[in-house]
């Protein structure tokens, strides 16, 4: 998602940050002349980064659209580098009176790119180390989870020691971990489940810690301004309100100017963002602990020993803007994020679709690992059924309706195919090419399958239950079949190959409607069985 939304994320995380520094900085200096221009730039810079933890906390309750959430998370992770670099040079200019734009630009590139490279390299080394531990037999989940938890801290501290962005290093490390996780997801699902549960607890603690720290600092910040005779309380609050409105308006205009259907999704030039999405994007720019920490890092004195100009007012304005952004997002976003009934149904259908595809994919993976010479024929049949059901679920009309029963035409064709297999068995028996025992066993399995298919009101759940029972039998090697010798099993494999060939020949001689897929599905099913059974088990 980070890579797919790279353009809008960079526009918000870099372009909007620098636009905020200049536009809001000049506005603050014009509105409050006692705040020097470098200090105004510093305040605007520290107000530009959004807070990833605050955004995640709000999204968990408000249920923002998925792509908007991905955009906001990517922006919050990336804009710290640009915002903090701008803040660093603005405050340095205020303290020393010296500023160099070329030096600031080069420093930003080094800090940002260096952080990403350092995080990727170090994360690859840690991932390789964990892989070597597993190869050597060290599969202790507690140890691996401890390494997992300490990794982002190690990446951050190492990158900061190198003079590059520790936050971007942690982001790059997370991406590298996601790549490794995708590769191992089917091999070690239990490890990933432990990881997900552990990180959910850590995220909960971080969310609470951020707002607790914010709450502890607010009284002291407010007391400094409210008890000082230098400041008018109403004017100070009014300044903060105007700054917050300017931030929202600038974010809205920036998003609108660069959207035009290109921020979300691959349909460039076709989809234009609605006012609702633009408003949600603007209100979702929540400020949090990063802004407050930056404000408190402002030095007390400048180089000539004089107090830093308007330090208390800057901290007060930053704190009030944080509160206003949290309140606006908490109150207005739930109203804008309300979905109508159709959208809820579509989201539920999509969740159901993804869940079914995950379950079937896991079952297929387990079947491949459990296949052996004794259960190969049964495994091939179950795999073919799962493949057919996955193709059917991918159809848009099935996904929308959730009606996953067999179509009448497909049921008829499958029963007809079983009839062809039965005729082929009788022919082989009449010609003496197979024994009566093998023919009886094979015909019994055909009768059971035909009984299931004849129940045309069966839904996918019933079919899956039967497939699950077959899968369980294969995995546990407890198929309810009589004990057969190796020669008997080989004979049944050859019988299935011949009956499959008979079905394929009969169906391919017919002309199916090109618009109907059922006939081709039957042919592909038997081709799969025939090819699988023709190969000797390795």
């Amino acid at each position: 998602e980070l890579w797919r939304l790279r353009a809008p994320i960079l526009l918000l995380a870099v372009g909007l940050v620098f636009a905020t520094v200049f536009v809001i900085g000049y506005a603050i200096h014009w509105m409050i002349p006692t705040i020097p221009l470098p200090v105004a730039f510093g305040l605007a810079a520290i107000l530009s980064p959004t807070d990833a933890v605050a955004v995640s906390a709000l999204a968990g309750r408000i249920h923002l659209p998925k792509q908007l959430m991905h955009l906001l998370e990517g922006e919050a992770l990336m804009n710290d580098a640009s915002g903090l670099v701008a803040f660093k040079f603005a405050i340095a200019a205020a303290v020393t009176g010296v500023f160099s734009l070329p030096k600031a630009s080069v420093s930003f590139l080094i800090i940002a790119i260096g952080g990403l490279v350092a995080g990727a390299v170090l994360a690859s080394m840690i991932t390789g180390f964990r892989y070597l531990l597993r190869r050597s037999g060290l599969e202790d989940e507690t140890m691996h989870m401890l390494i997992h938890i300490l990794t982002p801290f190690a990446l951050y501290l190492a990158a900061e020691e190198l003079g590059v962005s520790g936050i971007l290093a942690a982001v790059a490390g997370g991406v590298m971990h996601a790549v490794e996780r995708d590769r191992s997801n089917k091999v070690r699902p239990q490890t990933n489940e432990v990881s997900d549960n552990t990180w959910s607890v850590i995220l909960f603690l971080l969310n609470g810690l951020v707002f607790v720290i914010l709450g502890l600092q607010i009284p002291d910040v407010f007391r400094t301004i409210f008890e000082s005779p230098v400041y008018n309380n109403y004017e100070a609050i009014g300044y903060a309100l105007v700054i917050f409105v300017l931030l929202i308006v600038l974010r809205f205009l920036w998003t609108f100017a660069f959207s035009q259907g290109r921020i979300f999704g691959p349909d460039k030039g076709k989809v234009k963002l609605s006012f609702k999405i633009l408003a949600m994007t603007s209100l979702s720019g929540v400020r949090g602990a990063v802004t407050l920490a930056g404000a408190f890092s402002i030095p007390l004195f400048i180089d000539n020993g004089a107090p830093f100009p308007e330090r208390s007012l800057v901290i007060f304005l930053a704190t009030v803007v944080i509160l206003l952004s949290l309140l606006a997002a908490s109150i207005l976003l739930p109203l804008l994020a309300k979905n109508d009934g159709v959208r809820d149904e579509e989201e539920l259908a999509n969740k159901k679709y993804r869940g079914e595809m995950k379950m079937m994919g896991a079952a297929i993976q387990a079947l491949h690992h459990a296949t052996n010479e004794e259960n190969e024929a049964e495994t091939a049949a179950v795999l073919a059924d799962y493949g057919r059901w996955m193709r059917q679920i991918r159809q848009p009309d099935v996904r929308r309706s959730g009606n996953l029963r067999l179509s009448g035409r497909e049921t008829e064709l499958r029963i007809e195919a079983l009839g062809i297999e039965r005729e082929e068995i009788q022919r082989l028996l009449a010609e003496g090419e197979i024994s009566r025992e093998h023919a009886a066993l094979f015909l019994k399995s055909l009768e059971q399958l035909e009984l299931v298919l004849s129940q045309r009101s069966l839904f996918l759940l019933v079919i899956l239950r039967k497939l699950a029972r077959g899968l369980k039998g294969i995995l546990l090697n407890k198929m309810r079949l009589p004990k057969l010798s190796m020669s008997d099993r080989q004979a049944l494999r050859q019988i299935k190959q011949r009956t499959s060939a008979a079905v394929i020949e009969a169906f391919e001689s017919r002309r199916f409607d090109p618009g109907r897929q059922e006939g081709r599905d039957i042919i592909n099913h038997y081709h799969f069985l025939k090819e699988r059974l023709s190969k000797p088990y390795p």
Side-chain angles (χ1 to χ4, degrees):
E1 291 297 331
L2 282 174
W3 179 251
R4 191 175 66 84
L5 296 172
R6 60 191 181 278
I9 286 175
L10 288 176
L11 285 172
L12 291 175
V14 179
L16 180 57
V17 165
F18 292 124
T20 301
V21 170
F22 287 103
V23 175
I24 304 299
Y26 277 111
I28 292 173
H29 177 65
W30 174 81
M31 185 171 54
I32 314 174
T34 57
I35 296 181
L37 188 58
V39 178
F41 284 157
L43 175 57
I46 204 59
L47 289 173
S48 59
T50 54
D51 191 270
V53 177
V55 169
S56 299
L58 288 173
R61 180 173 56 86
I62 296 173
H63 303 295
L64 296 174
K66 181 181 293 185
Q67 289 200 345
L68 176 59
M69 190 61 226
H70 290 154
L71 177 66
L72 296 173
E73 288 177 336
E75 177 199 8
L77 291 172
M78 298 292 183
N79 61 12
D80 288 337
S82 52
L84 293 178
V85 168
F87 174 74
K88 167 187 173 182
F89 280 95
I91 297 301
V95 171
T96 64
V98 179
F99 175 74
S100 172
L101 181 60
K103 182 179 179 181
S105 302
V106 173
S107 176
F108 168 72
L109 292 176
I110 293 175
I111 289 173
I113 298 175
L116 292 172
V117 172
V121 172
L122 292 174
S124 300
M125 294 172 61
I126 294 174
T127 300
F129 175 67
R130 292 178 60 199
Y131 178 75
L132 290 177
L133 290 178
R134 293 190 182 278
R135 286 288 302 269
S136 63
L138 296 175
E139 290 283 352
D140 182 64
E141 297 302 336
T142 302
M143 178 189 65
H144 283 279
M145 195 61 231
L146 182 60
I147 297 175
H148 197 191
I149 293 174
L150 294 178
T151 295
F153 295 96
L155 297 178
Y156 180 89
L157 295 174
E160 290 293 329
E161 286 296 322
L162 295 174
V164 296
S165 173
I167 295 175
L168 291 182
V171 172
V175 173
M176 297 302 297
H177 165 72
V179 174
E180 188 268 341
R181 176 191 174 97
D182 287 341
R183 292 176 179 174
S184 64
N185 189 39
K186 294 179 180 179
V187 181
R188 297 187 300 274
Q190 184 178 1
T191 304
N192 292 330
E193 183 178 353
V194 172
S195 172
D196 291 340
N197 294 333
T198 303
W199 279 112
S200 66
V201 174
I202 294 175
L203 182 60
F204 179 82
L205 295 175
L206 285 176
N207 288 335
L209 186 61
V210 164
F211 296 111
V212 167
I213 293 175
L214 181 62
L216 290 173
Q217 298 297 331
I218 285 176
D220 291 335
V221 173
F222 278 25
R223 189 180 303 112
T224 302
I225 297 297
F226 288 165
E227 294 181 357
S228 173
V230 178
Y231 305 104
N232 183 299
N233 297 340
Y234 296 106
E235 284 186 2
I237 296 176
Y239 291 149
L241 182 59
V242 171
I243 294 172
F244 170 69
V245 173
L246 289 176
L247 289 170
I248 295 295
V249 172
L250 178 61
R251 187 177 176 86
F252 181 90
L253 294 177
W254 184 270
T255 307
F256 174 77
F258 288 94
S259 63
Q260 299 301 310
R262 293 191 295 271
I263 276 196
F264 297 100
D267 299 328
K268 296 183 177 180
K270 295 182 180 179
V271 180
K272 291 188 177 181
L273 298 185
S274 64
F275 176 83
K276 177 180 176 180
I277 293 295
L278 290 172
M280 292 174 65
T281 306
S282 303
L283 291 171
S284 300
V286 181
R287 275 71 183 177
V290 176
T291 297
L292 190 64
F296 276 111
S297 71
I298 296 175
L300 295 173
F301 303 95
I302 59 177
D303 277 356
N304 61 10
F308 191 94
E310 301 292 359
R311 181 179 187 272
S312 298
L313 181 59
V314 168
I315 296 176
F316 174 82
L317 293 175
T319 305
V320 176
V321 169
I322 292 172
L323 287 177
L324 290 174
S325 67
L326 289 171
L327 288 172
S330 300
I331 296 171
L332 298 178
L333 278 180
L335 300 177
L336 293 173
K338 283 185 177 178
N339 295 328
D340 52 23
V342 176
R343 187 63 177 269
D344 289 338
E345 291 179 3
E346 290 180 356
E347 184 177 355
L348 182 61
N350 287 333
K351 286 183 178 179
K352 183 178 179 183
Y353 163 74
R354 292 192 295 269
E356 289 171 346
M357 296 299 289
K358 268 193 172 183
M359 289 188 292
M360 291 187 184
I364 290 174
Q365 187 71 17
L367 278 169
H368 283 301
H369 286 296
T371 303
N372 55 45
E373 189 172 358
E374 295 183 354
N375 61 30
E376 186 179 6
E378 295 86 354
T379 304
V382 176
L383 283 172
D385 285 329
Y386 269 109
R388 180 174 57 82
W389 280 110
M390 291 181 76
R391 289 193 301 273
Q392 183 179 353
I393 293 175
R394 288 192 183 102
Q395 298 174 7
D397 55 339
V398 175
R399 288 179 58 182
R400 285 193 299 269
S401 65
N403 186 3
L404 298 171
R405 73 177 74 190
L406 277 173
S407 66
R409 178 59 176 163
E410 185 176 356
T411 302
E412 294 174 1
L413 291 176
R414 289 182 68 84
I415 293 177
E416 182 179 346
L418 295 179
I420 296 173
E421 288 194 71
R422 185 178 290 106
E423 291 176 1
E424 180 68 10
I425 288 292
Q426 293 172 350
R427 186 187 67 81
L428 294 174
L429 180 62
E431 295 178 1
E433 297 188 33
I434 60 175
S435 67
R436 290 188 176 276
E437 291 78 9
H438 293 159
L441 183 61
F442 200 92
L443 289 173
K444 183 178 179 181
S445 66
L446 294 181
E447 289 173 1
Q448 292 175 345
L449 185 54
E450 189 173 25
L451 180 63
V452 173
L453 292 172
S454 63
Q455 304 296 321
R456 294 181 55 177
S457 63
L458 285 177
F459 289 89
L460 176 63
L461 181 60
V462 178
I463 299 295
L464 288 181
R465 283 177 178 171
K466 294 182 179 296
L467 291 175
R469 283 196 287 268
L471 173 62
K472 181 179 179 181
I474 292 171
L475 295 178
L476 299 178
N477 199 21
K478 293 180 180 180
M479 297 296 293
R480 294 183 178 179
L481 293 173
K483 294 295 184 180
L484 300 175
S485 64
M486 187 61 65
S487 59
D488 290 333
R489 290 186 176 275
Q490 188 63 31
L492 290 175
R493 286 165 58 91
Q494 293 175 355
I495 292 173
K496 188 63 179 180
Q497 291 180 50
R498 299 189 64 171
T499 58
S500 299
V503 173
I504 294 171
E505 182 180 359
F507 272 64
E508 287 185 341
S509 64
R510 300 164 55 180
R511 292 182 178 272
F512 289 101
D513 183 359
R516 303 296 295 271
Q517 183 65 24
E518 294 89 347
R520 296 307 311 173
D521 282 341
I522 303 298
I523 295 174
N524 292 337
H525 173 80
Y526 279 96
H527 266 301
F528 175 81
L529 292 178
K530 185 171 178 292
E531 181 182 358
R532 185 68 181 267
L533 295 173
S534 64
K535 295 179 180 179
Y537 190 81

